[in-house]
Every structure is written in structure tokens, then in C-alpha cells.
Amino acid sequence: VKVHKEDKVMTSQAATYYADSPERIVFTGSPRAFDGQNVVSGTKITYYVDDDRSFVEGNSKVIMKNKQDK
């Protein structure tokens, strides 16, 4: 499964979409989230569509290659 939103990409072996509030996509099976060269992975990643944010669970790993000050 591969989902794109602007410059962000999320991949996994499986994903479940929930249309009810809060609208979200739950990625399982080696999920990874890419934002440019930055990568985060875990056991499960929940992406909240309306808030444009993710919640990473279990054995998470973060690789920051391009930090931007906001």
C-alpha cells in the first residue's frame, strides 16, 4: 500500500481506512512514513487525515536527514 499527500508518503503491507470521525488510515505490516528524506517506522502508524498528523506505535525508529526549523 502506498499513500501520497503532498510531499509525504506512507507505505505498508496493509492499510485500513476509517471514514468516521476522526477520519484516519491505519497502516500495518512494516509501515513507514516519509517526509522528504526523513523516515519514521513502527509496528503501526495511524494517520489522521483532517489533522495531517501521524501516531506511531511499537518499535519506532526515526531517521532525520533534513531538519527544517518551523
Side-chain angles (χ1 to χ4, degrees):
V1 176
K2 184 183 258 188
V3 174
H4 292 264
K5 182 167 183 185
E6 298 169 10
D7 60 342
K8 299 173 187 159
V9 178
M10 295 188 151
T11 63
S12 67
Q13 293 174 355
T16 304
Y17 171 73
Y18 297 92
D20 58 324
S21 186
E23 183 181 8
R24 64 206 179 279
I25 305 169
V26 178
F27 296 87
T28 55
S30 302
R32 299 175 95 191
F34 301 86
D35 186 356
Q37 293 181 336
N38 302 324
V39 181
V40 64
S41 63
T43 305
K44 177 168 85 170
I45 298 177
T46 303
Y47 174 67
Y48 295 92
V49 178
D50 294 335
D51 297 335
D52 192 26
R53 69 177 176 89
S54 300
F55 182 74
V56 181
E57 297 178 60
N59 299 325
S60 59
K61 181 178 179 181
V62 177
I63 300 171
M64 300 290 290
K65 292 190 176 192
N66 187 10
K67 181 182 175 188
Q68 294 180 347
D69 294 328
K70 293 187 178 187

